[in-house]
Amino acid sequence: MKILTCQSILQHRPTLISSISFGVLRKLGPRRWFSAHSEEPELKELMEYMDSLKNYEKVGVPKGAGTDSDDGFDLGRMRRLMERLGNPQAQFKAVHIAGTKGKGSTAAFLSNILRAEGYSVGCYSSPHIQTIRERISLGRFGEPVSAKTLNCLFLQIKKILDQAIEHENGRISHFEIFTAMAFTLFARENVDIAVIEAGLGGARDATNIISSSGLAASVVTTIGEEHLAALGGSLESIAMAKSGIIKHGCPLVLGGPFLPHIECILRDKALTMSSPVVSASDAGNQSTIKGISRMNGRPYQSCDLVIQTERDFKLFLELLDVKLCMLGSHQLQNAATATCAVLCLRNLGWRISDGSIRAGLEHTFLLGRSQILTSKETEALGLRGTTVLLDGAHTKESANALVKTIKLTFGKPPLALVVAMASDKDHVGFAREFLSGGELEAVLLTEADIAGGKSRTTSASLLRDCWIQASKELGIDIVHDGMTKSREVFNNLLVCSTSKLENGTILAAGSSLMASLMATNQILRERAGNQSGIIVVTGSLHIVSMVLAALSG
């Protein structure tokens, strides 16, 4: 693969392009068309209040913050806050989910299975895509909490929150306050069960205030290197942090697969807590993807799901031809993990039928997880005739999973990426997975605000340098605009001359997402001919949010 890099490429309106130089992409800058999705006016006071708090999603997590150590978050602070609110977390049963990847999808699968059985379910997850209300869902239908309900709760408990913040010298965080609000809503709505996704790690996460008497089961999905510094600097320390959600006598469900010594850490912790263990990766579990089909214009994967465990709990389930809208082998693994959790609940006396498990799995869909836009949506973005896939992958593991999902779903089509990432990610490792995964027509590197701020945003030019580094590590020949022999070519290269680059991947940086999308579409049109090209928007759920905000605005 040959990579040709330049500082910028193409203009934002392909219909007007005739002799625009590569420099125009950078000059265009950000557009209001891709402004962040604004919250409902009814939530104005709440959002202003939340914005006044320390938000680690926006500024980054300190070193060691997620470890069970002197450097870790102060869980006592969260307990004191909950005491002021009457300890609502003691009023419902919960499934607590931790892990590097797959938490949100597993929580969604599990919540929908329980809802299909008729239970009233509270689900708490993060981050959100378009509105903070997405983080809390209530009842039997899985809709985000209403702005009215959220605002009423805030007004009712604001005085208590003010007192707690003052008592803690202003150290209570955005995540702690919203977690407290979610748990209060679950108690007030008298949910049958809550599915709770940990934010960071597990041991010192604000969600880890659930006692063993309130915990129905804990789940650890995967262990990877994300948030390495915040979680102790090694896979082993990350595993220890995640294992902090295991409670005495409560079942532990493992997703995986894990490295053997990492699984040993989790199992050893479970053993000390007298917690039975069920693994979705056990040899007796045979889950397979049989093929990709389409229904109502959207793809789904037909799967066989077979669970058969013998250790600790004896569980068995066979579901054939399950139609998963969540694509990829990693999503099948998440579905299997959620199913194991459900079977544990059933073993403990919860009423859950096989039919409800199937229905819950098949009706699960999340924004920004291998989400393929409809033809109407792509046309609204000005990308008619191109397939657009949105995926919030932001680690090398999730990049690898996305590459496999694209191949499984589409084969080997003309493919281009539009990428924006947070500053605390492994940019080179992420790039390496895509570059080694097959031919790319273009990679357009751009920028996205992270949690509404720029402090964790990676510049497009820095991302470009990381992709160049990754290509060098892979032994891929590079021609870029820093080379004397090619600088003149790039400076004078016009859009109408992109056919000269048909044997190489175009790598470009620009701050405008709109321009990057339009440029990518133009490249695919020129190179794909009669074939339909695919644009993958990835690197962060925040860039996905920007695209979806454009559609909803």
Side-chain angles (χ1 to χ4, degrees):
M1 185 189 301
K2 195 173 191 179
I3 298 217
L4 302 173
T5 64
C6 50
Q7 287 191 344
S8 49
I9 184 169
L10 310 179
Q11 204 212 22
H12 68 291
R13 294 286 184 187
T15 55
L16 301 178
I17 293 174
S18 57
S19 58
I20 306 298
S21 71
F22 278 80
V24 75
L25 180 66
R26 179 171 299 280
K27 294 174 183 176
L28 280 170
R31 298 284 170 149
R32 287 177 57 87
W33 189 69
F34 280 106
S35 62
H37 184 79
S38 58
E39 295 287 350
E40 294 88 339
E42 193 169 359
L43 294 180
K44 184 176 185 292
E45 184 178 355
L46 169 61
M47 296 313 300
E48 288 177 351
Y49 190 89
M50 298 298 291
D51 287 343
S52 70
L53 304 171
K54 188 80 168 181
N55 187 347
Y56 293 105
E57 291 177 33
K58 183 183 292 187
V59 301
V61 185
K63 184 177 180 180
T67 59
D68 196 9
S69 69
D70 292 340
D71 295 325
F73 287 132
D74 181 4
L75 205 55
R77 182 173 63 219
M78 187 65 186
R79 292 194 179 99
R80 291 188 291 273
L81 171 60
M82 299 310 289
E83 285 176 7
R84 290 176 178 271
L85 293 167
N87 286 318
Q89 77 279 7
Q91 299 177 41
F92 52 82
K93 285 288 187 179
V95 176
H96 199 185
I97 303 175
T100 302
K101 300 299 297 179
K103 297 189 299 293
S105 297
T106 301
F109 280 127
L110 178 54
S111 298
N112 283 332
I113 291 169
L114 293 166
R115 292 187 189 107
E117 187 61 41
Y119 290 110
S120 174
V121 180
C123 185
Y124 181 58
S125 61
S126 59
H128 60 273
I129 299 289
Q130 293 177 286
T131 168
I132 198 170
R133 296 188 297 106
E134 295 168 20
R135 299 187 179 211
I136 303 173
S137 61
L138 293 163
R140 297 185 177 182
F141 303 104
E143 295 294 324
V145 62
S146 69
K148 180 179 180 181
T149 299
L150 195 58
N151 190 57
C152 284
L153 173 68
F154 170 65
L155 295 177
Q156 289 168 7
I157 67 173
K158 182 178 181 297
K159 186 175 181 180
I160 297 175
L161 299 180
D162 288 340
Q163 291 170 348
I165 291 171
E166 182 179 1
H167 183 263
E168 301 293 347
N169 297 316
R171 287 192 292 268
I172 295 181
S173 70
H174 181 289
F175 187 76
E176 288 168 325
I177 291 292
F178 210 69
T179 299
M181 292 181 68
F183 288 3
T184 302
L185 279 174
F186 295 161
R188 291 191 178 190
E189 294 293 325
N190 196 29
V191 299
D192 297 313
I193 190 168
V195 178
I196 297 166
E197 177 188 343
L200 177 76
R204 290 297 185 93
D205 187 72
T207 60
N208 198 28
I209 52 171
I210 304 162
S211 66
S212 56
S213 61
L215 188 67
S218 56
V219 180
V220 178
T221 56
T222 59
I223 299 294
E225 294 182 350
E226 190 177 13
H227 302 301
L228 197 61
L231 295 175
S234 69
L235 279 180
E236 292 77 11
S237 65
I238 291 173
M240 286 302 301
K242 309 290 186 187
S243 73
I245 69 168
I246 302 171
K247 300 295 190 299
H248 185 79
C250 300
L252 167 66
V253 177
L254 298 177
F258 301 96
L259 294 171
H261 73 289
I262 295 299
E263 183 165 340
C264 280
I265 291 173
L266 300 172
R267 286 187 177 274
D268 287 348
K269 178 63 178 291
L271 183 63
T272 64
M273 304 297 285
S274 301
S275 297
V277 180
V278 171
S279 173
S281 299
D282 276 357
N285 299 337
Q286 301 294 326
S287 299
T288 58
I289 300 173
K290 300 194 296 184
I292 301 290
S293 301
R294 286 187 173 266
M295 181 169 54
N296 299 325
R298 291 188 182 273
Y300 68 87
Q301 54 190 27
S302 179
C303 307
D304 287 346
L305 190 65
V306 179
I307 305 295
Q308 186 171 2
T309 64
E310 297 292 336
R311 296 172 63 175
D312 293 353
F313 281 166
K314 289 189 176 182
L315 307 175
F316 178 79
L317 177 72
E318 183 179 73
L319 292 179
L320 305 180
D321 297 318
V322 179
K323 298 176 176 61
L324 289 185
C325 298
M326 303 277 277
L327 302 177
S329 58
H330 61 300
Q331 292 295 1
L332 177 57
Q333 180 68 17
N334 292 333
T337 303
T339 300
C340 285
V342 164
L343 294 178
C344 282
L345 294 179
R346 189 158 76 179
N347 195 72
L348 294 171
W350 292 74
R351 181 194 72 254
I352 306 167
S353 69
D354 290 1
S356 293
I357 296 175
R358 177 187 292 273
L361 295 175
E362 292 187 339
H363 287 99
T364 297
F365 171 78
L366 288 177
L367 295 174
R369 278 76 165 185
S370 297
Q371 177 186 355
I372 299 171
L373 299 186
T374 65
S375 56
K376 276 189 175 181
E377 289 170 332
T378 55
E379 187 172 340
L381 293 173
L383 307 174
R384 179 185 296 181
T386 301
T387 298
V388 178
L389 186 151
L390 309 180
D391 193 279
H394 53 269
T395 67
K396 60 184 180 183
E397 293 85 3
S398 55
N400 179 269
L402 179 54
V403 168
K404 292 177 179 177
T405 300
I406 293 168
K407 289 180 179 178
L408 174 69
T409 308
F410 301 105
K412 294 184 178 180
L415 180 66
L417 309 180
V418 177
V419 179
M421 299 185 74
S423 58
D424 53 354
K425 307 304 175 186
D426 180 2
H427 306 128
V428 176
F430 185 86
R432 194 185 301 117
E433 293 296 332
F434 280 105
L435 291 172
S436 61
E439 293 291 329
L440 297 171
E441 300 296 340
V443 180
L444 276 290
L445 302 157
T446 186
E447 298 168 9
D449 289 354
I450 307 298
K454 296 186 180 301
S455 60
R456 288 179 61 215
T457 298
T458 305
S459 69
S461 59
L462 177 58
L463 279 179
R464 181 189 59 205
D465 292 343
C466 291
W467 281 72
I468 293 172
Q469 179 183 335
S471 65
K472 289 180 179 179
E473 291 178 2
L474 292 169
I476 297 171
D477 291 335
I478 302 173
V479 178
H480 63 85
D481 51 359
M483 295 180 177
T484 303
K485 64 180 181 180
S486 61
R487 186 175 298 123
E488 184 177 351
V489 174
F490 283 110
N491 287 341
N492 296 324
L493 194 60
L494 303 181
V495 169
C496 58
S497 303
T498 56
S499 59
K500 295 179 181 179
L501 308 179
E502 60 184 349
N503 294 323
T505 297
I506 298 173
L507 186 65
S511 59
S512 167
L513 173 57
M514 180 180 176
S516 298
L517 281 172
M518 295 301 178
T520 307
N521 193 46
Q522 179 72 7
I523 295 168
L524 284 179
R525 282 181 173 276
E526 291 185 1
R527 293 189 165 193
N530 294 327
Q531 283 185 279
S532 177
I534 297 176
I535 296 175
V536 179
V537 180
T538 188
S540 166
L541 282 173
H542 300 283
I543 188 174
V544 169
S545 175
M546 291 172 71
V547 175
L548 293 176
L551 290 172
S552 63

PDB file of all heavy atoms in Angstrom, residues 24 69 118 150 217 220 223 240 262 293 302 311-312 345 362 374 455 467 482:
ATOM      1  N   VAL A  24      -7.515  24.070   0.370  1.00  0.00           N
ATOM      2  CA  VAL A  24      -8.802  24.636   0.745  1.00  0.00           C
ATOM      3  C   VAL A  24      -9.429  23.930   1.936  1.00  0.00           C
ATOM      4  O   VAL A  24     -10.179  24.520   2.686  1.00  0.00           O
ATOM      5  CB  VAL A  24      -9.786  24.608  -0.459  1.00  0.00           C
ATOM      6  CG1 VAL A  24     -10.291  23.199  -0.702  1.00  0.00           C
ATOM      7  CG2 VAL A  24     -10.942  25.555  -0.231  1.00  0.00           C
ATOM      8  N   SER A  69      -6.524   2.773  45.444  1.00  0.00           N
ATOM      9  CA  SER A  69      -5.304   3.210  46.123  1.00  0.00           C
ATOM     10  C   SER A  69      -5.500   4.628  46.642  1.00  0.00           C
ATOM     11  O   SER A  69      -6.577   5.219  46.486  1.00  0.00           O
ATOM     12  CB  SER A  69      -4.121   3.186  45.150  1.00  0.00           C
ATOM     13  OG  SER A  69      -4.282   4.202  44.163  1.00  0.00           O
ATOM     14  N   GLY A 118     -41.147  -8.166  30.436  1.00  0.00           N
ATOM     15  CA  GLY A 118     -42.162  -7.370  31.117  1.00  0.00           C
ATOM     16  C   GLY A 118     -41.679  -6.647  32.356  1.00  0.00           C
ATOM     17  O   GLY A 118     -42.463  -5.991  33.040  1.00  0.00           O
ATOM     18  N   LEU A 150     -36.474  14.592  34.416  1.00  0.00           N
ATOM     19  CA  LEU A 150     -35.115  14.892  34.859  1.00  0.00           C
ATOM     20  C   LEU A 150     -35.053  16.261  35.517  1.00  0.00           C
ATOM     21  O   LEU A 150     -34.412  16.436  36.567  1.00  0.00           O
ATOM     22  CB  LEU A 150     -34.166  14.817  33.666  1.00  0.00           C
ATOM     23  CG  LEU A 150     -32.664  14.750  33.959  1.00  0.00           C
ATOM     24  CD1 LEU A 150     -32.332  13.547  34.841  1.00  0.00           C
ATOM     25  CD2 LEU A 150     -31.876  14.672  32.654  1.00  0.00           C
ATOM     26  N   ALA A 217     -25.992  -9.524  39.979  1.00  0.00           N
ATOM     27  CA  ALA A 217     -24.839 -10.122  39.296  1.00  0.00           C
ATOM     28  C   ALA A 217     -23.900  -9.014  38.861  1.00  0.00           C
ATOM     29  O   ALA A 217     -24.318  -7.870  38.656  1.00  0.00           O
ATOM     30  CB  ALA A 217     -25.278 -10.938  38.084  1.00  0.00           C
ATOM     31  N   VAL A 220     -17.979  -8.516  33.825  1.00  0.00           N
ATOM     32  CA  VAL A 220     -16.772  -7.892  33.287  1.00  0.00           C
ATOM     33  C   VAL A 220     -16.661  -8.326  31.835  1.00  0.00           C
ATOM     34  O   VAL A 220     -16.509  -9.516  31.544  1.00  0.00           O
ATOM     35  CB  VAL A 220     -15.506  -8.294  34.071  1.00  0.00           C
ATOM     36  CG1 VAL A 220     -14.275  -7.656  33.425  1.00  0.00           C
ATOM     37  CG2 VAL A 220     -15.620  -7.875  35.532  1.00  0.00           C
ATOM     38  N   ILE A 223     -10.923  -6.844  29.015  1.00  0.00           N
ATOM     39  CA  ILE A 223      -9.840  -6.105  29.658  1.00  0.00           C
ATOM     40  C   ILE A 223      -8.864  -5.670  28.570  1.00  0.00           C
ATOM     41  O   ILE A 223      -8.275  -6.492  27.878  1.00  0.00           O
ATOM     42  CB  ILE A 223      -9.082  -6.973  30.690  1.00  0.00           C
ATOM     43  CG1 ILE A 223     -10.021  -7.439  31.808  1.00  0.00           C
ATOM     44  CG2 ILE A 223      -7.898  -6.195  31.259  1.00  0.00           C
ATOM     45  CD1 ILE A 223     -10.555  -6.350  32.689  1.00  0.00           C
ATOM     46  N   MET A 240      -7.524  -5.692  38.065  1.00  0.00           N
ATOM     47  CA  MET A 240      -7.820  -5.533  39.489  1.00  0.00           C
ATOM     48  C   MET A 240      -8.862  -4.436  39.711  1.00  0.00           C
ATOM     49  O   MET A 240      -9.765  -4.579  40.546  1.00  0.00           O
ATOM     50  CB  MET A 240      -6.541  -5.213  40.258  1.00  0.00           C
ATOM     51  CG  MET A 240      -5.610  -6.399  40.435  1.00  0.00           C
ATOM     52  SD  MET A 240      -6.391  -7.783  41.302  1.00  0.00           S
ATOM     53  CE  MET A 240      -6.840  -7.005  42.862  1.00  0.00           C
ATOM     54  N   ILE A 262      -4.946 -12.880  32.996  1.00  0.00           N
ATOM     55  CA  ILE A 262      -5.926 -11.848  33.334  1.00  0.00           C
ATOM     56  C   ILE A 262      -7.211 -12.496  33.847  1.00  0.00           C
ATOM     57  O   ILE A 262      -7.805 -12.049  34.842  1.00  0.00           O
ATOM     58  CB  ILE A 262      -6.220 -10.958  32.108  1.00  0.00           C
ATOM     59  CG1 ILE A 262      -4.967 -10.180  31.710  1.00  0.00           C
ATOM     60  CG2 ILE A 262      -7.372 -10.008  32.398  1.00  0.00           C
ATOM     61  CD1 ILE A 262      -4.431  -9.242  32.765  1.00  0.00           C
ATOM     62  N   SER A 293     -27.873 -10.504   6.097  1.00  0.00           N
ATOM     63  CA  SER A 293     -29.053 -10.267   5.263  1.00  0.00           C
ATOM     64  C   SER A 293     -29.558  -8.856   5.524  1.00  0.00           C
ATOM     65  O   SER A 293     -29.001  -8.129   6.352  1.00  0.00           O
ATOM     66  CB  SER A 293     -30.147 -11.299   5.566  1.00  0.00           C
ATOM     67  OG  SER A 293     -29.687 -12.617   5.346  1.00  0.00           O
ATOM     68  N   SER A 302     -27.416 -13.076  10.897  1.00  0.00           N
ATOM     69  CA  SER A 302     -28.136 -14.243  11.393  1.00  0.00           C
ATOM     70  C   SER A 302     -27.159 -15.087  12.205  1.00  0.00           C
ATOM     71  O   SER A 302     -26.096 -15.479  11.708  1.00  0.00           O
ATOM     72  CB  SER A 302     -28.707 -15.047  10.229  1.00  0.00           C
ATOM     73  OG  SER A 302     -29.390 -16.188  10.704  1.00  0.00           O
ATOM     74  N   ARG A 311     -19.335 -25.157  34.959  1.00  0.00           N
ATOM     75  CA  ARG A 311     -18.674 -24.712  36.186  1.00  0.00           C
ATOM     76  C   ARG A 311     -19.584 -23.776  36.980  1.00  0.00           C
ATOM     77  O   ARG A 311     -20.242 -22.903  36.413  1.00  0.00           O
ATOM     78  CB  ARG A 311     -17.369 -23.988  35.856  1.00  0.00           C
ATOM     79  CG  ARG A 311     -16.338 -24.873  35.186  1.00  0.00           C
ATOM     80  CD  ARG A 311     -15.133 -24.078  34.695  1.00  0.00           C
ATOM     81  NE  ARG A 311     -14.398 -23.443  35.791  1.00  0.00           N
ATOM     82  CZ  ARG A 311     -13.259 -22.782  35.618  1.00  0.00           C
ATOM     83  NH1 ARG A 311     -12.735 -22.657  34.404  1.00  0.00           N
ATOM     84  NH2 ARG A 311     -12.641 -22.231  36.647  1.00  0.00           N
ATOM     85  N   ASP A 312     -19.618 -23.947  38.294  1.00  0.00           N
ATOM     86  CA  ASP A 312     -20.385 -23.108  39.222  1.00  0.00           C
ATOM     87  C   ASP A 312     -21.893 -23.174  38.954  1.00  0.00           C
ATOM     88  O   ASP A 312     -22.642 -23.754  39.713  1.00  0.00           O
ATOM     89  CB  ASP A 312     -19.881 -21.667  39.190  1.00  0.00           C
ATOM     90  CG  ASP A 312     -18.479 -21.541  39.750  1.00  0.00           C
ATOM     91  OD1 ASP A 312     -17.955 -22.544  40.274  1.00  0.00           O
ATOM     92  OD2 ASP A 312     -17.890 -20.456  39.670  1.00  0.00           O
ATOM     93  N   LEU A 345     -29.500 -14.854  36.204  1.00  0.00           N
ATOM     94  CA  LEU A 345     -30.678 -14.314  36.888  1.00  0.00           C
ATOM     95  C   LEU A 345     -31.791 -15.368  36.933  1.00  0.00           C
ATOM     96  O   LEU A 345     -32.469 -15.535  37.960  1.00  0.00           O
ATOM     97  CB  LEU A 345     -31.168 -13.047  36.192  1.00  0.00           C
ATOM     98  CG  LEU A 345     -30.244 -11.821  36.223  1.00  0.00           C
ATOM     99  CD1 LEU A 345     -30.872 -10.655  35.470  1.00  0.00           C
ATOM    100  CD2 LEU A 345     -29.914 -11.417  37.654  1.00  0.00           C
ATOM    101  N   GLU A 362     -32.812  -9.305  19.519  1.00  0.00           N
ATOM    102  CA  GLU A 362     -33.125  -8.871  18.155  1.00  0.00           C
ATOM    103  C   GLU A 362     -33.575  -7.419  18.089  1.00  0.00           C
ATOM    104  O   GLU A 362     -33.445  -6.789  17.032  1.00  0.00           O
ATOM    105  CB  GLU A 362     -34.200  -9.780  17.554  1.00  0.00           C
ATOM    106  CG  GLU A 362     -33.706 -11.197  17.294  1.00  0.00           C
ATOM    107  CD  GLU A 362     -34.692 -12.065  16.539  1.00  0.00           C
ATOM    108  OE1 GLU A 362     -35.905 -11.732  16.554  1.00  0.00           O
ATOM    109  OE2 GLU A 362     -34.264 -13.056  15.924  1.00  0.00           O
ATOM    110  N   THR A 374     -29.296   5.402   6.519  1.00  0.00           N
ATOM    111  CA  THR A 374     -30.221   5.116   5.427  1.00  0.00           C
ATOM    112  C   THR A 374     -29.868   5.990   4.229  1.00  0.00           C
ATOM    113  O   THR A 374     -29.129   6.972   4.350  1.00  0.00           O
ATOM    114  CB  THR A 374     -31.668   5.395   5.850  1.00  0.00           C
ATOM    115  OG1 THR A 374     -31.806   6.815   6.101  1.00  0.00           O
ATOM    116  CG2 THR A 374     -32.032   4.617   7.114  1.00  0.00           C
ATOM    117  N   SER A 455     -10.195  20.489  25.300  1.00  0.00           N
ATOM    118  CA  SER A 455      -8.965  20.152  26.019  1.00  0.00           C
ATOM    119  C   SER A 455      -8.481  18.733  25.702  1.00  0.00           C
ATOM    120  O   SER A 455      -7.289  18.450  25.822  1.00  0.00           O
ATOM    121  CB  SER A 455      -9.167  20.315  27.528  1.00  0.00           C
ATOM    122  OG  SER A 455     -10.204  19.476  27.993  1.00  0.00           O
ATOM    123  N   TRP A 467      -0.597   8.569  11.810  1.00  0.00           N
ATOM    124  CA  TRP A 467      -0.883   7.617  10.727  1.00  0.00           C
ATOM    125  C   TRP A 467       0.361   7.395   9.867  1.00  0.00           C
ATOM    126  O   TRP A 467       0.623   6.293   9.405  1.00  0.00           O
ATOM    127  CB  TRP A 467      -2.065   8.101   9.887  1.00  0.00           C
ATOM    128  CG  TRP A 467      -3.390   7.814  10.541  1.00  0.00           C
ATOM    129  CD1 TRP A 467      -3.920   8.432  11.627  1.00  0.00           C
ATOM    130  CD2 TRP A 467      -4.315   6.799  10.157  1.00  0.00           C
ATOM    131  NE1 TRP A 467      -5.138   7.878  11.945  1.00  0.00           N
ATOM    132  CE2 TRP A 467      -5.409   6.885  11.065  1.00  0.00           C
ATOM    133  CE3 TRP A 467      -4.368   5.853   9.133  1.00  0.00           C
ATOM    134  CZ2 TRP A 467      -6.520   6.028  10.972  1.00  0.00           C
ATOM    135  CZ3 TRP A 467      -5.469   5.009   9.050  1.00  0.00           C
ATOM    136  CH2 TRP A 467      -6.509   5.094   9.951  1.00  0.00           C
ATOM    137  N   GLY A 482       5.889  16.646   3.115  1.00  0.00           N
ATOM    138  CA  GLY A 482       7.106  17.095   3.776  1.00  0.00           C
ATOM    139  C   GLY A 482       8.367  16.765   2.992  1.00  0.00           C
ATOM    140  O   GLY A 482       9.442  17.273   3.293  1.00  0.00           O
TER     141      GLY A 482
END
